[in-house]
Amino acid sequence: MRFELYVAQRYLRAKRRDRFFSIATIISVVGVSVGVAALIIAMAINNGFHEGLRDHLIGASSHINLVEREPEYGIGDYRALMQTLQGVDHIEAVAPTLYGEMMITTPLRATGSFLKGVDPDAELRVSGLLSRIVEGSFEGLQTETDEFPGILLGRGLADTIGARVSTIVTLMNPQGEVTPLGRIPAFKQFQVVGIFETGFFELDNHWSVCLLRDAQRALSLKDVVNSIEFRLRDLDTAEEAAIAVEEAAGPDYVASTWIERNRSLFNALQVEKLVSTLIISMTMLVAAMNILISLVMMVIEKTKEIAILKSIGARQNQIRRIFMWQGMIIGAFGTGFGLLVGHLACWVCERYRLLPLNAEVYGLAYVPFAPEALDAVTVALSAVAISYLITVYPSSSAARVAPAEILRYE
């Protein structure tokens, strides 16, 4: 074993009369462990929220939306436009969509809803919304039962109005339709054929889905859509593909990506990650101060031994490395234990969903944990680097010990 490392680990294993230094070493190791574990858990929570919200959003919606630059009467030639846009680079699938705000009612309750009219075959290729059905099936959309068209409701929306599969609901279009007596609200009845649950509050509590033709009738519109949606082969090409779609569609249309539609949400998560990392990093600094104090006290206690080592030939660099090794050993053990505890805590909390959330507020039903290897490497290297830097002062002090002065009266 290298001389400096051998002496360093012997100093860390305090003798019975120096039990205080053993306790100080343990406290230093625990301090580093707590700081590392806290950082791992904080980063895992932020990553979990980021991935959870992204997966829910992307899984139930499109990657790119194309709409009119100046909304007027909808996109009337959408079929021909879709044929043109299908050949744009990075585009995997295209689907026509009609959105509208409606009032949905049952005999006892009523609430607002975002109605989405879809072509089921195209919608299945573009988003995963129709694959999140937990009761009934989307096939019921294509067959009219008892003269009522089918409709799918989000789980929260169905609970709000007291609807279940086979319930008859009424959709009211506040804009209505033009009659000889003027514009009056339009009503259309639907039969619930399925209930979907995406896990994302906004979708589950406010969205309803029906066939495109039925949505057009409910909104008193002709054969038009107000959005063309796209699925990409690679999410990372979203901005590039959106530019290509805009160029192919012409100046009357504008494309938005899933990133742009949710930019404020993900920016908030990034800021939260930065702030939480900076705050919890203070724990690492406290642990580093523990290491500094332990080493300074060790230098004071071991002054005589240092003088003896120097008198028998130990060089200043060797003395300096002895105390640097001590700090590195404390940092390495603390970092390793902290990584283990942090990842174990993340796994247990994620596996058993120990931290429930109010989905209405956070959009997710529980706190997700998603530790990443890059975060673990970054935290580990940072902890070890801090442990190394904090040894500079005490190790330099030890190297400057003058043997003649210390051993003069021995």
Side-chain angles (χ1 to χ4, degrees), residues 42 65 105 120 212 305 403:
N65 280 31
T105 68
L212 180 58
E305 285 85 344

Side-chain angles (χ1 to χ4, degrees), residues 102-113 153 156-163 168-172 174 187 205-206:
M102 308 285 285
M103 179 68 73
I104 184 169
T105 68
T106 57
L108 296 178
R109 300 175 187 172
T111 189
S113 171
L153 303 181
L157 178 60
D159 292 341
T160 298
I161 62 175
I168 305 300
V169 298
T170 302
L171 265 64
M172 183 188 75
F187 297 88
N205 285 266
H206 297 106

Side-chain angles (χ1 to χ4, degrees), residues 291-303:
I291 297 176
L292 175 62
I293 294 170
S294 297
L295 292 181
V296 169
M297 296 181 65
M298 184 74 71
V299 171
I300 295 173
E301 172 69 18
K302 301 296 183 182
T303 300

Side-chain angles (χ1 to χ4, degrees), residues 5 8 25 31 33 35 51 82 84 98 106 109 141 151 201 204 275 283 325 348 359 364 381 383 386 388 401:
L5 179 59
T25 299
S33 300
E51 293 179 7
M82 287 171 54
T84 301
L98 179 63
T106 57
R109 300 175 187 172
L141 291 176
I151 191 171
F201 177 81
D204 292 341
V275 172
T283 306
W325 270 115
V348 171
L364 298 173
L381 292 178
I386 292 173
Y388 172 77
V401 169

